[in-house]
């Protein structure tokens, strides 16, 4: 950690850098996941989420600007671990229905990580009276929840049945 | 990974071992988090969740038994990263309101990880026709979602206000 936060404002900034790092790592992972997908629908899902993630990074940059700070990331062991686990599955399972089911679950772990982080940021921004930042972060939180629901439906309605 | 899963059944078993490892790591982290909590309510929340986690481990052991397997864990980089990030915050931020806010957010990241993992296990158990296992896993999934909501309320109604 660069500097230990001593108040909620600094904790907000620390977490903002954490999630900025995470989103940038995710943009590197998603094309690899898309390339390994057997289901065309899953591949398209990863590609769409990549576009969304790039938009979410722009929103984070706006939040940095609102806080009078330059965008910067802070290495975050949580997202590294989550993505490492997904990469391990991708390197060991042969492409096909089982890997598709594994990748969708790995993507949902990423989504849930982001839901937790953006959820905290939205709550803290509210407490700190940062209305504009809160609105931007809330837009992303909503998108992450939608992506998780879409992945759920794709898994339950289609991909798990193929894998079973 | 011990052996790469080649079908949904093996992916289910791999993920079961992953979450069994994660829950056991969580039982080690929770007492440390409780000890660092300033808010009595937050400390009690961590202690209650420790009791629940032990019950969830027993349920996982029942699922292993239903599958005719001995309970065993498989090292999981995701939960290691999530817990490492929480431990970093605990070692660097002085106990007080800011650390309470940080720990509650760290605990929610853990909950969301579990929600993602149990969500996948429940869906796969359904697809595999494992009704008893599915019911046990669904009970835990419900508890994890409840814990996340309780942490949300505690953060938003009380702890964030103190930290702000």
């Amino acid at each position: 950690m660069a500097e230990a936060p001593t108040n909620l404002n600094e904790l907000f900034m620390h977490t903002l850098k954490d999630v900025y790092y995470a989103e940038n790592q995710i943009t590197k992972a998603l094309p690899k996941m898309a390339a390994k997908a057997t289901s065309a629908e899953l591949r398209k899902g990863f590609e769409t989420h990549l576009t969304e993630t790039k938009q979410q990074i722009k929103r984070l940059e706006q939040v940095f600007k609102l806080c009078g700070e330059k965008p910067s990331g802070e290495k975050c062991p949580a997202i590294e671990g989550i993505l490492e686990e997904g990469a391990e599955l991708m390197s060991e399972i042969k492409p096909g229905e089982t890997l598709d089911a594994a990748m969708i679950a790995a993507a949902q772990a990423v989504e849930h990580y982001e839901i937790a982080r953006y959820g905290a940021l939205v709550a803290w921004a509210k407490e700190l009276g940062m209305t504009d930042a809160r609105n931007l972060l809330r837009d992303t939180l909503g998108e992450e929840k939608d992506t998780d629901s879409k992945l759920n439906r794709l898994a339950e309605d289609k991909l798990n049945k193929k894998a079973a």
Side-chain angles (χ1 to χ4, degrees), chain A residues 25-42:
Chain A
Q25 294 304 105
I26 292 165
T27 60
K28 293 178 201 164
L30 280 168
K32 294 179 199 164
M33 294 170 82
K36 287 266 191 180
T38 296
S39 147
E41 210 169 341
L42 181 60

Side-chain angles (χ1 to χ4, degrees), chain A residues 2 4 26 38 46 55 64 66 71-72 83 91 109 119 130 134 164:
Chain A
I26 292 165
T38 296
F46 289 147
Q55 173 61 31
F64 276 107
L66 286 167
S72 68
L83 292 176
S91 75
M130 300 158 66
R134 180 191 173 206

Side-chain angles (χ1 to χ4, degrees), chain A residues 35-124:
Chain A
K36 287 266 191 180
T38 296
S39 147
E41 210 169 341
L42 181 60
R43 188 173 59 245
K44 201 167 171 296
F46 289 147
E47 287 165 356
T48 305
H49 191 49
L50 177 60
T51 309
E52 255 176 19
T53 302
K54 288 178 183 167
Q55 173 61 31
Q56 291 165 356
I57 289 175
K58 285 198 186 134
R59 274 196 211 114
L60 288 174
E61 288 166 354
Q62 285 178 269
V63 176
F64 276 107
K65 204 173 171 187
L66 286 167
C67 299
E69 297 247 1
K70 268 197 170 170
S72 68
E74 191 163 317
K75 200 174 158 158
C76 144
I79 197 70
E80 301 248 300
I82 294 168
L83 292 176
E84 185 190 327
E85 197 162 319
E88 220 175 64
L89 290 164
M90 287 197 292
S91 75
E92 301 198 13
I93 305 177
K94 272 195 312 189
E97 280 102 18
T98 306
L99 181 59
D100 277 5
M103 284 199 297
I104 214 164
Q108 289 191 282
V110 173
E111 286 316 301
H112 273 282
Y113 179 72
E114 296 190 286
I115 290 167
R117 283 288 173 262
Y118 281 106
L121 286 171
V122 167
W124 294 338

